[in-house]
Amino acid sequence: MRYVSTRGQAPELGFEDVLLTGLARDGGLYVPATIPQLSADEIRSFRGVPYSQVAFRVMKPFVCPEISEDDFAEIIDKAYSTFRHKTIVPLAQTGSNDWILELFHGPTLAFKDVALQLLGHLFDHVLTKQGRKVTIVGATSGDTGSAAIECVKDRECAEIFMLHPKGLVSDVQRKQMTTVLSSNVHNLAVGGNFDDCQAMVKALFNDLAFRDEITLSAVNSINWARVMAQIVYYFTSAVALGAPDREVSYTVPTGNFGDIYAGYVAQQMGLPIKQLIVATNRNDILTRVLTSGDYTVGKVSPTISPSMDIQVSSNFERLLYNLYDGRGENVRRLMDNLNQSKSFTIDSEQLNKAKQIFDAIQVDEQDTEATIKAIFEQTGMLIDPHTAVGVKAASLKNTDTSIPMVTLSTAHPAKFPEAVEKVTGQHPALPAHMEDLFERTEKYDRLDHDLDALKSYIRSNL
Ligand SMILES: *Cc1c(COP(=O)(O)O)cnc(C)c1O
């Protein structure tokens, strides 16, 4: 598979280089040059097949033969052996035709493990083969950080620097990162919000000299391999609910647009997805752009679903590339507007296309809490606030209740215990492997929101 930049001015790369590069050198994101197609028969043949085998068959065209089929199958097996549930991502029923897809059974209790456990093994494989070492720098609104650290800790091939907005991630989220004491892990609490942290990381990538000096790499959701790994669970869950002989709808609690974009790719590959619903909290830039075409960056407002508290949604650029039929100059024009005036507007033809693919709605804090409570009362299940945003959005936007509606459950309730306990009176327990999290020693440094300070910190710690 060849990969091209959304902005059309970076060299085409193969899978391994795309994996290690993250952001393209023209500032764009890598996307596959063509989308592989799976026939209805192939999709039907996934029934009853274990997750890792479906994963292999769905991802193979993106990865092989650059990585051999045998090696790739082994990488997948290793990646998902750390999950605590034997079906990896089980479905749970919450209503007569409503489901949640539990994506939180990996080591750090959020859906990001599904992609990042795979990425860790892919990095290891490719870097060992090439005899190279990379420096991973990332920003996290909470969940990416621990999942990324968990995927590279103690690996010879990588050093990782993870920026989180100081005081703006939950205690569980922070401790999951800062209690990993491996010498190749560097946690940084940065003054500012998540978008400030992400902007610093982007600036590092755009400093090509520094980028080459430290062999910079990314595991943020801009990395194509993460999107790719997330395509798989749309297939496994849809097939479990009757696809390809029946349509299935999805609602996705959305921040950086990576998870829902994977659903769009699954649909492009041939999976019969009826509705794709973008659920946002009151940081609603995605709802605004998908309903009015206006992408204007506002101020981040903290919520009880902090992993979606963002105003710049990086993977949206990949959708723009599709909406503009792969014409990089159009993506460049919009991204230039964004850089200059923190705003762009999608042209009406492209907006109409987007509206045919996606529904979008924002859910406020009160409705999020009410949904956690209602699901507990109706089913006895505890859901986390991000999942609740999705469940509420699904109920508001579902246009055909005869079609199964799957909400992606992106985090374990124990990751956000205060919000859950406040409305249900139940304290969600951490799984056994994390019971002593609050007794573990933390290690992290503080840093100002200052690019030069970050650069010298990285240099002095390599
Ligand atoms: C990261 C995250 C999201 C948002 O996912 P995107 O791919 O960035 O849209 C939603 N919920 C949780 C719990 C997350 O960690």
Side-chain angles (χ1 to χ4, degrees):
M1 176 68 74
R2 303 301 294 169
Y3 290 84
V4 296
S5 165
T6 49
R7 300 192 192 178
Q9 294 191 316
E12 277 188 33
L13 298 178
F15 177 76
E16 294 189 356
D17 288 327
V18 164
L19 172 78
L20 298 180
T21 304
L23 202 65
R25 291 181 88 87
D26 59 0
L29 308 188
Y30 275 104
V31 286
T34 55
I35 298 294
Q37 300 297 306
L38 297 183
S39 68
D41 280 344
E42 269 173 283
I43 297 172
R44 203 173 288 115
S45 76
F46 294 165
R47 274 186 205 152
V49 171
Y51 187 89
S52 58
Q53 283 177 38
V54 177
F56 175 73
R57 284 152 70 176
V58 169
M59 294 189 284
K60 186 173 78 170
F62 296 107
V63 177
C64 305
E66 209 174 323
I67 294 179
S68 78
E69 293 194 12
D70 287 349
D71 285 347
F72 189 45
E74 198 180 305
I75 287 167
I76 292 172
D77 279 343
K78 277 193 263 179
Y80 296 113
S81 66
T82 54
F83 279 60
R84 296 180 314 283
H85 198 286
K86 67 173 190 307
T87 63
I88 315 298
V89 293
L91 276 166
Q93 194 160 11
T94 53
S96 57
N97 210 7
D98 300 305
W99 310 78
I100 60 172
L101 182 61
E102 296 183 356
L103 301 173
F104 53 70
H105 294 282
T108 72
L109 315 185
F111 85 96
K112 295 187 168 78
D113 287 327
V114 178
L116 282 164
Q117 285 295 300
L118 182 73
L119 239 68
H121 289 284
L122 284 168
F123 263 77
D124 219 14
H125 176 83
V126 172
L127 288 168
T128 306
K129 191 161 82 179
Q130 300 183 357
R132 289 173 59 196
K133 204 178 155 167
V134 292
T135 306
I136 295 169
V137 183
T140 182
S141 57
D143 296 327
T144 299
S146 55
I149 287 168
E150 206 60 41
C151 93
V152 296
K153 69 174 184 193
D154 299 327
R155 289 189 196 283
E156 294 275 318
C157 64
E159 204 76 25
I160 184 165
F161 296 83
M162 187 53 64
L163 283 60
H164 70 266
K166 183 165 164 282
L168 295 180
V169 300
S170 79
D171 287 347
V172 176
Q173 288 177 320
R174 190 190 70 251
K175 282 176 187 281
Q176 282 185 315
M177 296 190 276
T178 58
T179 60
V180 177
L181 305 177
S182 312
S183 62
N184 69 334
V185 172
H186 310 274
N187 277 292
L188 288 166
V190 177
N193 58 36
F194 169 68
D195 288 339
D196 296 328
C197 294
Q198 182 155 272
M200 285 169 84
V201 174
K202 279 204 174 160
L204 285 190
F205 272 90
N206 289 327
D207 182 339
L208 299 182
F210 187 74
R211 180 171 170 167
D212 292 337
E213 175 192 329
I214 65 166
T215 344
L216 184 61
S217 191
V219 295
N220 271 14
S221 68
I222 54 168
N223 193 307
W224 164 258
R226 280 186 59 180
V227 174
M228 174 186 82
Q230 293 165 1
I231 298 168
V232 174
Y233 47 68
Y234 288 91
F235 277 94
T236 57
S237 56
V239 166
L241 293 169
D245 303 303
R246 188 187 191 197
E247 293 181 294
V248 179
S249 289
Y250 287 87
T251 303
V252 184
T254 303
N256 246 328
F257 209 74
D259 211 5
I260 187 132
Y261 185 76
Y264 168 66
V265 178
Q267 188 184 50
Q268 298 275 295
M269 290 173 76
L271 191 65
I273 296 179
K274 170 89 174 170
Q275 276 186 281
L276 273 172
I277 300 172
V278 173
T280 61
N281 65 26
R282 71 175 169 234
N283 297 289
D284 67 341
I285 187 163
L286 287 170
T287 299
R288 270 186 285 127
V289 70
L290 289 168
T291 49
S292 72
D294 167 40
Y295 188 100
T296 298
V297 179
K299 234 174 100 68
V300 176
S301 164
T303 70
I304 56 170
S305 46
S307 304
M308 309 196 301
D309 290 349
I310 67 175
Q311 286 285 347
V312 178
S313 190
S314 306
N315 276 294
F316 196 72
E317 181 167 342
R318 291 196 158 104
L319 180 67
L320 292 175
Y321 173 86
N322 297 112
L323 296 175
Y324 284 93
D325 298 318
R327 295 193 304 268
E329 66 274 19
N330 288 288
V331 178
R332 269 197 327 269
R333 170 172 56 88
L334 298 186
M335 290 299 143
D336 286 346
N337 289 347
L338 184 64
N339 271 341
Q340 281 152 23
S341 54
K342 294 205 162 232
S343 174
F344 64 75
T345 306
I346 305 182
D347 297 288
S348 60
E349 182 193 335
Q350 282 71 26
L351 176 61
N352 287 336
K353 269 202 228 170
K355 284 182 173 175
Q356 279 162 26
I357 308 165
F358 297 100
D359 292 291
I361 190 163
Q362 75 142 303
V363 174
D364 67 21
E365 298 284 275
Q366 237 177 347
D367 279 346
T368 305
E369 290 188 339
T371 304
I372 297 173
K373 187 161 192 264
I375 291 289
F376 177 63
E377 284 168 357
Q378 288 156 21
T379 68
M381 273 187 260
L382 297 176
I383 58 171
D384 99 289
H386 303 80
T387 306
V389 167
V391 169
K392 181 66 186 180
S395 74
L396 295 170
K397 280 289 177 186
N398 192 343
T399 54
D400 184 349
T401 53
S402 73
I403 290 173
M405 172 61 77
V406 179
T407 298
L408 301 194
S409 181
T410 49
H412 191 289
K415 232 173 159 168
F416 304 95
E418 293 85 8
V420 175
E421 188 163 2
K422 180 180 163 206
V423 293
T424 63
Q426 307 288 312
H427 186 79
L430 284 165
H433 76 288
M434 250 183 232
E435 267 170 350
D436 66 338
L437 183 65
F438 281 81
E439 280 100 70
R440 297 182 198 163
T441 309
E442 289 189 73
K443 183 186 96 175
Y444 64 100
D445 285 317
R446 295 195 167 83
L447 200 77
D448 290 334
H449 174 213
D450 172 19
L451 195 60
D452 287 327
L454 176 61
K455 282 193 202 169
S456 57
Y457 184 92
I458 292 173
R459 280 199 183 102
S460 64
N461 279 281
L462 279 179

